[in-house]
Amino acid sequence: QCGGCAGLEVKRPGPRVWPRAKSRRRQQPGAAFTAFAMRNLKLLHSLHCNRWQGLGTPQCLTVRSDTGTVLVGSDLGITELDPRTEQVIKKISLVEEAFLPDDGTGCIVGIEDLPDQESVCIATASGDVVLYNLSTNQLECVGSVDSGVTGMSWSPDQELVVLITGHETIIMMTKDFEPVTEVKIHQDEFGEGKFITVGWGKKETQFHGTEGKAAAVRKLMEIVPAVPWDDHKFRVTWRGDGQLFAVSAICPLTGSRKMRVWNRECVLQSTSELVNGLEQALCWKPSGSLIASTQRKLNKHNIVFFEQNGLLHGEFPLPFNKDQVKVQELLWNNESTVLAIWLEDLKSVDEGNKDGQQNTYVQLWTVGNYHWYLKQSLHFGCERIVALMWDPENPYRLHVLCSGWCYLSYNWHWSTDRSKGDDRNDFANVAVINGDKIHVTPFRQTVVPPPMCAYQLQLPCPVNQIIFSSDPQRSNDLAVLTADDRISIYQAGDDVKQNSTIVADAVGGSGLTKHMTAPKLVKTFRINFEEETSDSLKPLKLHFITWVKENRFLGVFQGLNTSQSVVCQLITTLDENQEEELSIRTPVTVDRQIINLCHNHKTQTVALELSNGQILRYLWDTESTEPCVQPWRSAAGCLVQFSQPCVQIALCTIEGEEMVLGLTERFRFFVNVSEIASNVTSFIVYDEFLLFTTHSHTCRCLNLRTTSLKALLNLPSTDSQPNDETVRRVERGSRIVTVVPQDAKLVLQMPRGNLEVIHHRALILAQLRKYLDSLKFKEAFECMRKLRINLNLIYDHNPKVFLENVENFLKQITSINSINLFLTELKEEDVTKTMYPYAPDSTTSVPETANKVDTICDALRTTMERINPHKYGLSILTCHVRKTTPELETALQKVHDLRVNPPSDPEAVSAEEALKYLLFLVDINQLYDYAVGTYDFDLVMMVAEQSQKDPKEYLPFLNKLKKMETNYQRYTIDKYLKRYKKAVEHLSKCGCQHFTELLNLVKDQKMYSDALKLFPAKSQEYKDISIAFGEYLIEKQCHEQAGLIFARCGDCEKALDAFLLCCSWQQAFCMAAQLHYTEDKMINMARIISGRLKEQRRYSEAALILEQYAKDYEEAIASLLEGGAWDESLRLIYKYERTDILETNLKPSILEAHSNQMAFLDSQKTLFIHHKSRLKIVWEMKAQERFLDEEMADGPDSDLYSEKSSLWSAGGMSSKYSHSNSRISARSSKNRRKAERKRYSLKEGSPMEDVALLQALREIICTVDKLTGEVHDLLKVLVLFGFNDLASELQQVLEGTLQLLEKSITDIWLSDAKRSTLCPVLGPDSTANSIAAAL
């Protein structure tokens, strides 16, 4: 005896092998929040093993998650079965060790696979807890209970085990079978979670409504004992996290069932409220706080849910009569998405059944939008189920063990059953299974959120599969596979109200049902399996049923062994009673399990997916040969095989090759052997489009006709462009339900279950392009208006076709308002390149049209005027107004014509309507001004009367204008409208009495050139305007142009003054000659001009004027010597025989120039050396700072530093300087230049000192380079007069300076990687000119 656990004898197990940890019962997060309201459970594959035999009679089973084998417990021992090969791996007898009696009366009450210990734990009814090591084949008893064991349950993490003893106690032990505690099941206390009354009033004092005061009297509920067929066994269930477990037991006092919740320390937490009719089944939802059980009421049988505190929380009824069935067990899958219910008949339905066996059922229920759906119903007939469980690893794999050693497993997956048509005749039907009803919603006609639907189809028994016809002409027809292995055919075209088997749901009103059509039942076929064996009668033997032709189906079933599958055809035949049935024909055996079948209704291709991911091509529609299967090969001849099995596949054509698309359970998306994405949640192939949603909350729509496989492979790395039509953001967790063909509607279901209909931009634009290509302008226009697509696409899609079919466009768009709307939205932008970019499949490009808006307006206006100008009057006005330069005058004139000559056409608009419409398009003030600008006062009055203007504003002005002379009237109007060019033209025709006014207007508006064109060149008006023009040019400092204007009009005096101001001495002497200046005046003017030229360092020109006009040869020579024109000065000295000047002026000037050049070269050389040395120091300092920054960036505190080094070359510290001067630099250009000079300061330590030094060095090089010409002339004259030493000295100094500069260029502008970033234009190949040009 051990501790306080009376009756438990613990035996220490021997040494065991502890393998690597295995994953146990993984639960995918968020799975419980996925809505399944619009999806059905699709059977991927099933296994049926009945050709094996174990020990004794089977009683229970467990699954080894690491090997995939099944451990079956029986009255004699344990048998391990490999379902894939249908081979018995081992048999472990528990009789030999006396754990079970040999007479077959033994019972195993619990069995659990322990992957961490590579063992299996077995609990027997006699009280033994046995551990069998599957590696060493050792069998040992780790404990025994004297009173026996009635149940065993391990926690989900397999750290604790709970035993229910014969004394109705709970024994909790660790995984090493060390006792933790032992408590009694039946306790009087409620538990630690007992409710607390806070005393907020009593029932007697509360208001009870219509029930009256009698409701205040507490009524005692009558306690009803458990139902007679209750097995009185204890049920134990754990919460998914293993922190709590619940126990259902028969109360010994009342005889009714109660549920109690215990924590991980085996402390009672709560006790359920009194629930009469509560039955034995119990299962805790893994990812929630609800505990499922069953309750039998007076008139129905319910599945009920308890909260953790023991209170009821929701229920739903079972589709059976009150006393028809009993629920054996309830089982949640690990994702908490499917609830399996194991039921048995209370009495035999078959009266001829002498053994009295009951029928057995397994139902799979799901919930969506708070509505429970019966998705699958498996009818096992008289085959009794002994054990049922969900796979611990695969959440949608169900294991079934039947009596007679028959084992079955079913693998499910969620799929959407939708119609497959591509044209407008398809209603976009989506069908949802709900027991013996099918919820159908045609999304083309209506959008109904689940759990409602458009209408329901009532079937005689539960539905297992829905098959829509693959015939495009009959895509609304559907076939239904029911649980009794019959297929019912429904044909579209019946009225909802006329068929008794159709129940209108959300469209039950008289509004929609009149236009709602539903399929009607035309015939029902029984599937003939030829041999009525137990194998043929197992549930869902035939799956993947596909309707390929009117009387032909395809299907898949298991072969002779579990590793084989058979694909066959179901063809309608007549049985012995001349009734139609479906017979299996041309079976083809495949040596692996088929887990998917896909049919392409366009190419009639059928693809099969095997369990290893390989794709096979099923050749079924062959008349010459028998159907067969072939490996699917790509265009390159490679076998197509997915790296992982896919739960959904589809066929499509990419680049002319038919390819297979596949999506795995882990959201990996494949095209043939290539993985395209790893975050795809759903996809659909519609017509030539592939649509899929992703975990990044986007929906992509790809045109397979223009997409290549290479582009698909680059899809994950491609960032979507701002106007990328293929990408659309969607709500988190959205899944595709269906696409409405030819309507661009995409129906999505959100995680919470509601539906959303979106119009994906890619689908819209593709549909619009089809409309426009087929010249369906009306459909395109209506679609664009409804979905807010820019109407420019009508023209931009194909400008040439539109212009050739303008008349067709007008015939389809009959509404004038629609034509006007199209015109008002026109803009020069090509929307096919900006808003809706599209890569056409043809390489021919459409030429761009210049002045697009004008072209369209002219084309439409011309066509409308030819067809019916009165009908399209408003649209014609719109064409005039919408042009790049609005033709408002023409539009106003057309309105005026309508007023003067009203048309008799009944379709014509009146002048008032046209004017009101024009006022809608154009601003009233602008239109009023245009009307005034026509000089038509009747038109002005018409516009003014239709506007909101006050008559006091315009009547005095119009009356004043009417009194004026015509030209002066138009001048006044043009001046009012600020049309000054026209105003000057009209004023020039008013005579000389208004010339002063004209001249003032010209001066005010600076219209001198325009005014000069209006008068003859010899007229006084021309001269006056020219003089005013010249004075204006002098004010603008344009003296030479002013002089030319004055000279042209004959005012030589003003022209002379202007030429003197700009030192245009040639024109000045011309004007002086025309004015007949005397010699003295000419000499005086010559001296003035020469002085100004010397100030401008134009010494040669000054000497020429002094020589030729002032006759002062000595002063001319002096000017030449000052300017360094040594050769020209010598010419004049010898010409006028003034050799005395050689000694007095020439030689001193030469010596002075030599001295100045020597001093200047020395200063430039010294300054250059200084700047060069300083530049080297600055570079070293900055290199050291950059090195320190890099060290800090790589150090342990690198995250604290910014990437300063990477930004150094872009300005680094200069940004600090520029910020401090931002206010100054914004004042004026002068201050900006000043701030720029301060920025590149040579002051030591300034931020941009290195750049300033480079600029200074560049200036020195350019200056010395320009000096070589002057030094060359000076050297010649020094040699001429015998100053050889001085010439040699000057030449040496110049050569030394040039050599220094040449050598320094490669040192300063070295093409180093660090320095090239600072000054990329500099380098060893740079010259003075290139550096100067770059900087």
Side-chain angles (χ1 to χ4, degrees):
Q1 306 293 326
C2 176
C5 303
L8 173 65
E9 180 181 356
V10 178
K11 301 179 180 179
R12 290 292 181 188
R16 293 191 294 268
V17 179
W18 298 95
R20 63 184 185 276
K22 303 287 184 180
S23 59
R24 314 182 195 94
R25 291 180 168 86
R26 290 178 296 183
Q27 185 174 323
Q28 299 182 10
F33 300 100
T34 304
F36 303 102
M38 297 300 294
R39 292 190 282 173
N40 298 318
L41 279 176
K42 170 185 175 183
L43 182 62
L44 287 180
H45 66 86
S46 62
L47 294 179
H48 180 210
C49 304
N50 62 353
R51 295 185 300 173
W52 65 290
Q53 184 66 40
L55 297 173
T57 303
Q59 295 176 342
C60 56
L61 87 158
T62 186
V63 179
R64 294 189 61 186
S65 55
D66 51 352
T67 62
T69 58
V70 177
L71 296 170
V72 179
S74 64
D75 56 349
L76 299 179
I78 302 172
T79 304
E80 183 176 5
L81 168 70
D82 187 353
R84 293 160 296 188
T85 60
E86 206 171 355
Q87 298 295 321
V88 174
I89 298 176
K90 61 180 66 176
K91 295 182 180 180
I92 304 103
S93 175
L94 298 180
V95 176
E96 297 177 357
E97 301 291 338
F99 296 123
L100 291 174
D102 56 0
D103 56 359
T105 59
C107 179
I108 295 179
V109 296
I111 183 171
E112 182 81 10
D113 175 52
L114 305 176
D116 285 351
Q117 306 179 30
E118 289 192 356
S119 303
V120 58
C121 182
I122 307 107
T124 64
S126 60
D128 292 329
V129 180
V130 182
L131 197 67
Y132 176 75
N133 192 299
L134 297 167
S135 299
T136 61
N137 297 326
Q138 294 181 0
L139 187 67
E140 54 184 324
C141 180
V142 295
S144 62
V145 180
D146 295 340
S147 59
V149 175
T150 60
M152 177 184 72
S153 179
W154 285 77
S155 63
D157 57 3
Q158 293 189 342
E159 295 291 329
L160 297 173
V161 59
V162 168
L163 300 177
I164 307 297
T165 68
H167 289 160
E168 298 185 347
T169 61
I170 299 175
I171 298 178
M172 178 177 286
M173 295 186 293
T174 66
K175 65 179 180 180
D176 297 327
F177 303 101
E178 296 178 357
V180 176
T181 184
E182 182 178 4
V183 296
K184 292 182 178 180
I185 295 178
H186 305 291
Q187 299 188 15
D188 297 333
E189 293 81 7
F190 179 85
E192 289 186 347
K194 184 177 181 180
F195 302 112
I196 300 175
T197 303
V198 295
W200 286 353
K202 298 181 180 180
K203 185 175 179 64
E204 292 80 2
T205 61
Q206 293 176 356
F207 177 72
H208 301 285
T210 58
E211 295 182 5
K213 295 183 179 180
V217 181
R218 295 182 180 272
K219 299 178 181 179
L220 296 177
M221 181 181 295
E222 180 182 357
I223 301 176
V224 179
V227 293
W229 49 83
D230 193 304
D231 59 7
H232 289 252
K233 292 182 181 179
F234 296 90
R235 295 291 192 279
V236 181
T237 179
W238 288 81
R239 199 169 71 179
D241 57 1
Q243 298 301 312
L244 297 171
F245 67 94
V247 178
S248 174
I250 298 291
C251 178
L253 298 179
T254 62
S256 63
R257 276 198 175 266
K258 274 191 178 181
M259 183 197 70
R260 291 178 173 85
V261 178
W262 312 75
N263 65 5
R264 197 174 176 87
E265 287 74 30
C266 210
V267 177
L268 181 63
Q269 299 297 302
S270 61
T271 303
S272 67
E273 59 179 316
L274 179 61
V275 179
N276 285 328
L278 189 65
E279 296 181 320
Q280 62 196 26
L282 187 73
C283 188
W284 201 318
K285 190 175 183 180
S287 63
S289 58
L290 296 181
I291 307 170
S293 186
T294 59
Q295 180 189 13
R296 194 175 299 273
K297 294 186 176 181
L298 293 177
N299 56 351
K300 56 183 176 180
H301 196 181
N302 286 348
I303 301 294
V304 295
F305 300 100
F306 289 93
E307 295 184 12
Q308 178 182 326
N309 56 15
L311 298 179
L312 285 172
H313 183 89
E315 64 184 18
F316 69 89
L318 291 173
F320 295 99
N321 297 327
K322 175 192 172 186
D323 295 328
Q324 181 179 350
V325 296
K326 64 176 179 179
V327 178
Q328 291 288 97
E329 296 292 346
L330 297 175
L331 297 101
W332 286 100
N333 69 334
N334 290 338
E335 285 188 352
S336 303
T337 53
V338 183
L339 176 64
I341 304 178
W342 168 12
L343 308 103
E344 289 184 0
D345 283 341
L346 287 177
K347 58 182 179 179
S348 177
V349 178
D350 186 6
E351 298 297 336
N353 190 352
K354 299 180 180 180
D355 297 334
Q357 295 180 344
Q358 295 91 12
N359 291 323
T360 307
Y361 316 91
V362 173
Q363 294 183 343
L364 303 183
W365 291 77
T366 63
V367 64
N369 282 40
Y370 303 98
H371 179 80
W372 284 91
Y373 297 85
L374 174 55
K375 292 296 184 182
Q376 289 290 335
S377 182
L378 309 180
H379 291 194
F380 289 86
C382 298
E383 188 81 22
R384 193 175 65 86
I385 296 177
V386 296
L388 181 73
M389 70 172 294
W390 288 101
D391 193 272
E393 293 292 328
N394 190 332
Y396 292 102
R397 178 177 296 169
L398 182 67
H399 301 273
V400 183
L401 180 64
C402 300
S403 60
W405 295 98
C406 178
Y407 165 80
L408 302 98
S409 72
Y410 297 92
N411 279 46
W412 309 96
H413 174 67
W414 293 108
S415 69
T416 302
D417 291 318
R418 59 177 76 92
S419 56
K420 305 171 184 178
D422 293 333
D423 55 12
R424 287 189 171 275
N425 296 323
D426 185 84
F427 293 155
N429 293 303
V430 175
V432 179
I433 297 174
N434 186 16
D436 58 356
K437 299 181 181 65
I438 299 178
H439 296 190
V440 183
T441 300
F443 283 98
R444 180 179 296 280
Q445 298 172 324
T446 180
V447 178
V448 182
M452 296 184 294
C453 62
Y455 55 86
Q456 299 177 7
L457 302 180
Q458 181 67 52
L459 277 298
C461 62
V463 178
N464 286 335
Q465 185 181 351
I466 301 173
I467 312 105
F468 279 95
S469 174
S470 298
D471 187 353
Q473 305 300 322
R474 304 176 57 186
S475 59
N476 296 312
D477 296 355
L478 72 151
V480 181
L481 174 66
T482 53
D484 57 354
D485 289 329
R486 294 179 182 272
I487 292 182
S488 301
I489 306 298
Y490 284 83
Q491 196 173 69
D494 199 4
D495 192 350
V496 173
K497 290 187 174 181
Q498 294 178 357
N499 197 330
S500 59
T501 63
I502 300 176
V503 180
D505 191 358
V507 294
S510 60
L512 281 173
T513 51
K514 293 181 180 179
H515 308 285
M516 183 71 63
T517 58
K520 61 179 179 180
L521 179 64
V522 293
K523 59 183 70 175
T524 300
F525 298 104
R526 181 180 63 87
I527 301 178
N528 181 12
F529 291 101
E530 295 184 356
E531 68 278 357
E532 296 294 336
T533 62
S534 60
D535 184 19
S536 63
L537 295 177
K538 76 181 183 71
L540 284 181
K541 174 187 177 182
L542 200 63
H543 55 285
F544 291 133
I545 298 178
T546 306
W547 193 357
V548 292
K549 283 189 176 182
E550 181 179 0
N551 295 319
R552 183 177 299 186
F553 295 84
L554 302 182
V556 175
F557 60 90
Q558 182 178 306
L560 295 177
N561 52 61
T562 55
S563 62
Q564 291 181 339
S565 293
V566 177
V567 56
C568 64
Q569 299 184 28
L570 302 178
I571 301 176
T572 57
T573 58
L574 296 177
D575 61 6
E576 297 176 354
N577 300 324
Q578 297 300 312
E579 295 181 359
E580 288 186 317
E581 63 179 7
L582 288 174
S583 300
I584 297 177
R585 295 290 183 268
T586 61
V588 179
T589 303
V590 180
D591 287 335
R592 274 189 179 273
Q593 293 178 357
I594 297 176
I595 62 171
N596 247 318
L597 184 147
C598 178
H599 175 245
N600 188 342
H601 66 274
K602 294 181 179 180
T603 61
Q604 297 300 320
T605 304
V606 174
L608 306 175
E609 182 190 4
L610 304 183
S611 57
N612 61 348
Q614 183 182 356
I615 304 299
L616 301 179
R617 188 189 298 268
Y618 176 46
L619 305 177
W620 62 278
D621 195 12
T622 58
E623 298 179 357
S624 58
T625 60
E626 289 292 325
C628 61
V629 294
Q630 295 178 355
W632 190 291
R633 295 184 181 272
S634 63
C638 302
L639 291 175
V640 176
Q641 181 172 353
F642 298 139
S643 59
Q644 289 186 0
C646 294
V647 295
Q648 180 185 356
I649 63 173
L651 295 174
C652 67
T653 303
I654 302 176
E655 296 182 304
E657 178 188 354
E658 193 168 16
M659 298 186 181
V660 187
L661 310 179
L663 180 64
T664 69
E665 289 181 329
R666 296 297 177 181
F667 315 111
R668 298 176 64 183
F669 188 53
F670 294 91
V671 176
N672 277 3
V673 297
S674 305
E675 182 175 359
I676 303 303
S678 58
N679 64 340
V680 176
T681 57
S682 64
F683 80 94
I684 186 175
V685 177
Y686 155 66
D687 197 12
E688 60 188 25
F689 293 96
L690 169 63
L691 296 96
F692 58 89
T693 56
T694 65
H695 279 307
S696 56
H697 325 310
T698 60
C699 178
R700 279 188 175 268
C701 180
L702 303 178
N703 192 327
L704 298 176
R705 187 164 52 88
T706 59
T707 302
S708 63
L709 183 59
K710 183 178 180 181
L712 291 175
L713 292 173
N714 296 330
L715 199 61
S717 60
T718 304
D719 296 331
S720 61
Q721 301 300 322
N723 289 325
D724 187 1
E725 67 180 50
T726 65
V727 182
R728 174 180 174 131
R729 301 289 298 177
V730 294
E731 187 177 333
R732 179 191 297 268
S734 299
R735 303 283 182 105
I736 296 175
V737 176
T738 189
V739 178
V740 180
Q742 305 296 324
D743 198 13
K745 286 182 182 178
L746 175 62
V747 184
L748 301 174
Q749 185 166 26
M750 305 301 108
R752 57 185 178 273
N754 64 309
L755 299 179
E756 285 190 8
V757 178
I758 65 173
H759 293 80
H760 201 290
R761 181 61 56 86
L763 295 177
I764 298 170
L765 295 178
Q767 188 63 41
L768 289 175
R769 293 182 185 114
K770 290 181 180 178
Y771 285 149
L772 295 175
D773 289 338
S774 57
L775 302 181
K776 295 181 179 179
F777 296 110
K778 180 180 180 181
E779 291 82 355
F781 184 86
E782 292 176 351
C783 181
M784 295 168 81
R785 280 197 63 188
K786 178 182 178 182
L787 302 176
R788 297 183 179 181
I789 303 297
N790 195 297
L791 296 177
N792 282 267
L793 185 64
I794 295 177
Y795 172 83
D796 292 335
H797 176 68
N798 196 328
K800 181 181 178 182
V801 172
F802 177 82
L803 295 176
E804 292 174 352
N805 294 273
V806 171
E807 186 172 351
N808 188 8
F809 172 77
L810 293 174
K811 289 180 178 179
Q812 294 188 37
I813 309 298
T814 57
S815 171
I816 303 300
N817 292 333
S818 299
I819 298 174
N820 295 338
L821 178 63
F822 170 70
L823 289 168
T824 52
E825 280 201 17
L826 290 178
K827 55 185 177 180
E828 292 295 335
E829 174 189 353
D830 186 353
V831 296
T832 61
K833 296 181 180 179
T834 56
M835 299 178 66
Y836 315 119
Y838 175 65
D841 49 358
S842 61
T843 57
T844 58
S845 60
V846 179
E848 294 185 1
T849 306
N851 298 326
K852 164 188 161 184
V853 177
D854 292 349
T855 303
I856 299 174
C857 290
D858 290 340
L860 284 172
R861 178 179 54 80
T862 304
T863 307
M864 288 186 291
E865 289 176 347
R866 188 181 72 251
I867 297 175
N868 190 341
H870 301 302
K871 174 184 176 182
Y872 296 107
L874 297 182
S875 299
I876 292 173
L877 292 178
T878 309
C879 290
H880 287 295
V881 174
R882 284 292 298 138
K883 296 191 72 171
T884 307
T885 303
E887 299 174 348
L888 291 180
E889 295 181 12
T890 307
L892 285 170
Q893 191 60 46
K894 289 184 180 294
V895 175
H896 184 259
D897 295 342
L898 287 174
R899 185 171 186 176
V900 175
N901 299 313
S904 59
D905 192 339
E907 294 183 345
V909 295
S910 63
E912 290 74 14
E913 292 179 3
L915 186 58
K916 286 182 180 179
Y917 177 72
L918 207 57
L919 290 173
F920 172 74
L921 293 178
V922 186
D923 179 66
I924 177 58
N925 296 318
Q926 184 182 4
L927 191 62
Y928 175 78
D929 291 343
Y930 267 96
V932 172
T934 61
Y935 315 118
D936 187 342
F937 293 102
D938 292 338
L939 188 61
V940 175
M941 289 297 297
M942 184 178 67
V943 174
E945 289 172 359
Q946 293 295 332
S947 68
Q948 300 296 326
K949 284 182 173 292
D950 189 351
K952 295 180 181 179
E953 297 180 17
Y954 59 86
L955 284 179
F957 175 65
L958 296 180
N959 292 332
K960 182 180 177 182
L961 289 175
K962 290 179 180 179
K963 298 177 182 178
M964 296 179 181
E965 187 267 333
T966 302
N967 288 321
Y968 194 78
Q969 179 192 85
R970 295 187 176 185
Y971 153 73
T972 306
I973 291 174
D974 292 332
K975 186 179 179 182
Y976 166 75
L977 297 176
K978 297 182 180 181
R979 301 189 300 192
Y980 297 110
K981 185 175 181 180
K982 286 188 175 183
V984 171
E985 292 178 3
H986 289 126
L987 191 57
S988 66
K989 299 176 183 179
C990 294
C992 58
Q993 66 270 20
H994 294 289
F995 179 73
T996 303
E997 188 175 358
L998 182 145
L999 187 59
N1000 292 334
L1001 178 63
V1002 170
K1003 288 180 180 180
D1004 290 340
Q1005 301 301 326
K1006 312 297 186 297
M1007 300 177 61
Y1008 300 101
S1009 299
D1010 296 326
L1012 288 173
K1013 298 176 183 178
L1014 301 175
F1015 297 96
K1018 301 300 182 180
S1019 63
Q1020 183 62 35
E1021 290 86 353
Y1022 187 90
K1023 184 176 181 179
D1024 294 342
I1025 296 173
S1026 297
I1027 292 172
F1029 191 15
E1031 292 173 351
Y1032 168 74
L1033 291 173
I1034 288 176
E1035 291 177 2
K1036 293 294 184 180
Q1037 303 296 321
C1038 300
H1039 302 293
E1040 187 172 8
Q1041 292 90 327
L1044 294 173
I1045 294 296
F1046 287 137
R1048 187 176 65 177
C1049 69
D1051 195 340
C1052 298
E1053 204 57 57
K1054 291 186 178 182
L1056 177 61
D1057 295 338
F1059 288 135
L1060 288 175
L1061 289 173
C1062 65
C1063 291
S1064 181
W1065 56 273
Q1066 294 92 341
Q1067 294 292 341
F1069 283 111
C1070 292
M1071 294 299 103
Q1074 294 183 32
L1075 292 171
H1076 306 290
Y1077 267 27
T1078 61
E1079 186 177 356
D1080 293 339
K1081 280 188 175 183
M1082 197 70 79
I1083 292 173
N1084 186 33
M1085 188 179 74
R1087 291 189 181 279
I1088 293 174
I1089 293 176
S1090 64
R1092 292 179 180 178
L1093 290 174
K1094 287 181 182 180
E1095 292 176 359
Q1096 297 178 9
R1097 301 181 67 83
R1098 297 162 64 179
Y1099 297 105
S1100 298
E1101 296 178 66
L1104 179 62
I1105 293 172
L1106 289 171
E1107 178 193 0
Q1108 294 183 1
Y1109 292 98
K1111 308 301 180 182
D1112 190 347
Y1113 313 120
E1114 185 176 351
E1115 190 66 28
I1117 294 171
S1119 177
L1120 290 171
L1121 293 176
E1122 186 178 354
W1126 314 110
D1127 294 337
E1128 184 64 18
S1129 62
L1130 284 173
R1131 187 184 69 81
L1132 292 181
I1133 287 173
Y1134 287 106
K1135 177 181 178 182
Y1136 296 106
E1137 297 179 354
R1138 293 294 307 274
T1139 55
D1140 57 313
I1141 296 178
L1142 294 174
E1143 297 296 334
T1144 59
N1145 296 89
L1146 180 60
K1147 290 182 179 181
S1149 297
I1150 294 173
L1151 295 176
E1152 184 181 0
H1154 172 269
S1155 176
N1156 291 338
Q1157 294 290 359
M1158 290 291 292
F1160 182 75
L1161 287 173
D1162 183 64
S1163 64
Q1164 292 296 309
K1165 182 178 180 180
T1166 304
L1167 188 61
F1168 184 85
I1169 294 173
H1170 175 266
H1171 287 342
K1172 178 183 176 183
S1173 303
R1174 178 60 188 169
L1175 181 63
K1176 184 178 181 181
I1177 295 173
V1178 172
W1179 276 348
E1180 290 176 354
M1181 293 171 58
K1182 289 198 172 184
Q1184 186 176 5
E1185 291 177 1
R1186 193 181 299 111
F1187 176 74
L1188 292 176
D1189 290 339
E1190 292 175 356
E1191 279 195 340
M1192 287 187 290
D1194 294 334
D1197 298 329
S1198 59
D1199 292 340
L1200 303 178
Y1201 302 98
S1202 64
E1203 297 182 2
K1204 181 179 178 183
S1205 59
S1206 64
L1207 301 175
W1208 187 273
S1209 61
M1213 298 169 59
S1214 65
S1215 60
K1216 174 180 69 176
Y1217 188 85
S1218 61
H1219 287 310
S1220 63
N1221 290 277
S1222 59
R1223 181 177 59 86
I1224 299 173
S1225 62
R1227 289 178 183 171
S1228 64
S1229 60
K1230 181 180 179 181
N1231 286 336
R1232 284 197 296 270
R1233 289 192 297 269
K1234 182 179 179 181
E1236 191 70 17
R1237 288 195 298 272
K1238 286 186 66 178
R1239 184 182 181 191
Y1240 298 104
S1241 173
L1242 289 173
K1243 182 180 179 181
E1244 293 187 4
S1246 63
M1248 304 294 290
E1249 184 184 0
D1250 53 346
V1251 179
L1253 288 171
L1254 287 171
Q1255 186 174 358
L1257 291 170
R1258 188 265 303 173
E1259 292 175 355
I1260 293 173
I1261 294 174
C1262 294
T1263 302
V1264 174
D1265 186 60
K1266 293 178 182 178
L1267 199 63
T1268 55
E1270 298 180 16
V1271 174
H1272 176 70
D1273 294 338
L1274 182 58
L1275 289 174
K1276 289 193 298 182
V1277 73
L1278 284 172
V1279 172
L1280 179 63
F1281 288 100
F1283 300 108
N1284 296 334
D1285 295 339
L1286 295 177
S1288 177
E1289 181 185 7
L1290 178 60
Q1291 185 172 3
Q1292 290 178 1
V1293 172
L1294 179 62
E1295 289 180 355
T1297 305
L1298 290 174
Q1299 290 176 2
L1300 172 65
L1301 298 181
E1302 189 68 28
K1303 292 180 180 179
S1304 300
I1305 287 177
T1306 57
D1307 296 336
I1308 297 172
W1309 289 281
L1310 183 65
S1311 60
D1312 185 81
K1314 297 181 180 179
R1315 297 176 190 169
S1316 63
T1317 58
L1318 295 175
C1319 193
V1321 299
L1322 306 177
D1325 298 328
S1326 302
T1327 63
N1329 293 332
S1330 67
I1331 295 171
L1335 296 179

